[in-house]
Amino acid sequence: MNTVRRVSLTQYLIEQQREHGHIPGELRLLIEVVARACKRIAIAVNKGALGDVLGSATTENVQGEVQKKLDVIANEVLVEANEWGGHLAAMASEEMDSIHVVPNRYPQGEHLLLFDPLDGSSNIDVNVSIGTIFSVLRKVGHTRGISEEDFLQPGRQQAAAAYCVYGPQSTLVLTLGNGVALFTLDRETGSWVLTQNGVRIPEDTKEFSINMSNLRHWAPPVRRYIDECLGGEEGPRGKDFNMRWVGSMVSDVHRILTRGGIFMYPWDKRTPDKPGKLRLMYEANPMAFIVEQAGGMATDGTQRILDIVPTKLHQRVGVVLGSANEVRRVTEYHQQLG
Ligand code: AHG
Ligand code: MN
Ligand code: MN
């Protein structure tokens, strides 16, 4: 009989509380609820055409993107799961125009939850890995009532961040500010099992991740960095680089957490007045927190993502994250070339 001790998510959270002593019961409940909701989303994803979850819905979200059926389903699963437990004051999502305050009939908690319910929507119908991204903030101040203002905190104030990848395995990656832990869903028992603790991103890499079709639109520092990578062994970097672009940020970031690399979705001149494509509060911030906790770096090209003070819930940002030495290099190029 296999006697290896399996640590469940519940046990991990309790042990973290004993070790670090600052994980309130409410936060532990929140993580458990989120993990359970991810299980439901994973089941829906796995059913695919059999569950009638593929294809587009008939609606658009606040960013003017046509919603996929799974964007809507995942959003509903998360709202429903998180409303009644008493652990939240309000939620915000890529798929909801404004914040969703916990209804009066339920007790209100002290935490705020933001999510990208389904990341990588363009990959749903083609059976490629997709995911969900979470950011957890604490409600600051003791004012009664809650508004969008309460959410506009810099990412460094996150109490927790997580993402779930629905791929060949379903994997939940979590930080509570004491390193990064990885859980794999055991489909037979329905339990999230700790499969890696203290995840570290190597400082150096030979792999970059960027949508190359936008090359002609990039700013000079990004162009310079990628040109140098493409120069390979004979070029200024003196080594060959490999390229990977899944098109689901969760999957690209997960690869970087697993074996290193650099991921970029920088500002480009297709939409010069937008700072980038990805959203700060529920895509860039949680990923930046996880990446930093794993020893990597995350900037918008010039400044640390976690230091940006948001002004809008759905604000966008340029993203450069991953192996520290590469992110530092790209950031230096921005400083030099402006
Ligand atoms: P979402 O599906 O939540 O809208 O996010 C998609 C994002 C991100 O996951 C990915 O890195 C990027 O869009 C891909 O963009 P391109 O299609 O421009 O490559
Ligand atoms: Mn997304
Ligand atoms: Mn999404």
Side-chain angles (χ1 to χ4, degrees), residues 13-25 28 178:
L13 292 170
I14 289 169
E15 284 173 3
Q16 283 288 301
Q17 160 63 17
R18 284 186 194 143
E19 243 174 78
H20 303 285
H22 66 274
I23 304 156
R28 276 184 279 146
N178 297 302

Side-chain angles (χ1 to χ4, degrees), residues 153-219:
Q153 306 176 32
R156 60 170 183 270
Q157 286 175 214
Q158 289 171 102
Y163 69 79
C164 187
V165 195
Y166 314 111
Q169 307 118 42
S170 288
T171 308
L172 181 71
V173 175
L174 169 70
T175 185
L176 297 159
N178 297 302
V180 177
L182 199 149
F183 302 84
T184 305
L185 181 60
D186 181 331
R187 287 177 211 257
E188 270 98 62
T189 62
S191 168
W192 288 105
V193 181
L194 180 68
T195 41
Q196 204 186 337
N197 207 351
V199 179
R200 301 300 290 173
I201 299 174
E203 286 187 358
D204 294 297
T205 182
K206 291 167 138 188
E207 204 160 63
F208 65 84
S209 187
I210 190 165
N211 185 337
M212 288 292 288
S213 68
N214 297 324
L215 180 142
R216 69 193 184 285
H217 305 297
W218 295 336

Side-chain angles (χ1 to χ4, degrees), residues 138-305:
R138 257 179 300 266
K139 192 179 165 221
V140 287
H142 297 285
T143 47
R144 283 181 66 81
I146 179 109
S147 70
E148 188 173 314
E149 292 266 295
D150 293 281
F151 283 82
L152 304 180
Q153 306 176 32
R156 60 170 183 270
Q157 286 175 214
Q158 289 171 102
Y163 69 79
C164 187
V165 195
Y166 314 111
Q169 307 118 42
S170 288
T171 308
L172 181 71
V173 175
L174 169 70
T175 185
L176 297 159
N178 297 302
V180 177
L182 199 149
F183 302 84
T184 305
L185 181 60
D186 181 331
R187 287 177 211 257
E188 270 98 62
T189 62
S191 168
W192 288 105
V193 181
L194 180 68
T195 41
Q196 204 186 337
N197 207 351
V199 179
R200 301 300 290 173
I201 299 174
E203 286 187 358
D204 294 297
T205 182
K206 291 167 138 188
E207 204 160 63
F208 65 84
S209 187
I210 190 165
N211 185 337
M212 288 292 288
S213 68
N214 297 324
L215 180 142
R216 69 193 184 285
H217 305 297
W218 295 336
V222 176
R223 188 79 187 244
R224 173 182 170 190
Y225 175 77
I226 296 295
D227 275 350
E228 290 180 359
C229 292
L230 296 176
E233 221 176 291
E234 298 78 40
R237 299 299 308 275
K239 57 182 181 180
D240 290 336
F241 277 77
N242 188 19
M243 193 209 83
R244 286 285 183 273
W245 182 255
V246 177
S248 305
M249 187 197 203
V250 275
S251 310
D252 283 311
V253 170
H254 193 64
R255 183 187 58 256
I256 287 170
L257 239 72
T258 309
R259 65 176 189 216
I262 179 168
F263 170 92
M264 288 190 270
Y265 212 121
W267 170 90
D268 69 50
K269 58 179 192 295
R270 279 174 302 171
T271 46
D273 46 331
K274 283 190 189 150
K277 174 179 180 181
L278 299 174
R279 278 62 49 118
L280 173 63
M281 302 216 53
Y282 40 80
E283 289 180 317
N285 268 344
M287 289 312 200
F289 190 24
I290 290 168
V291 163
E292 283 199 7
Q293 284 293 316
M297 269 178 75
T299 75
D300 67 353
T302 51
Q303 68 165 322
R304 183 181 177 227
I305 284 175

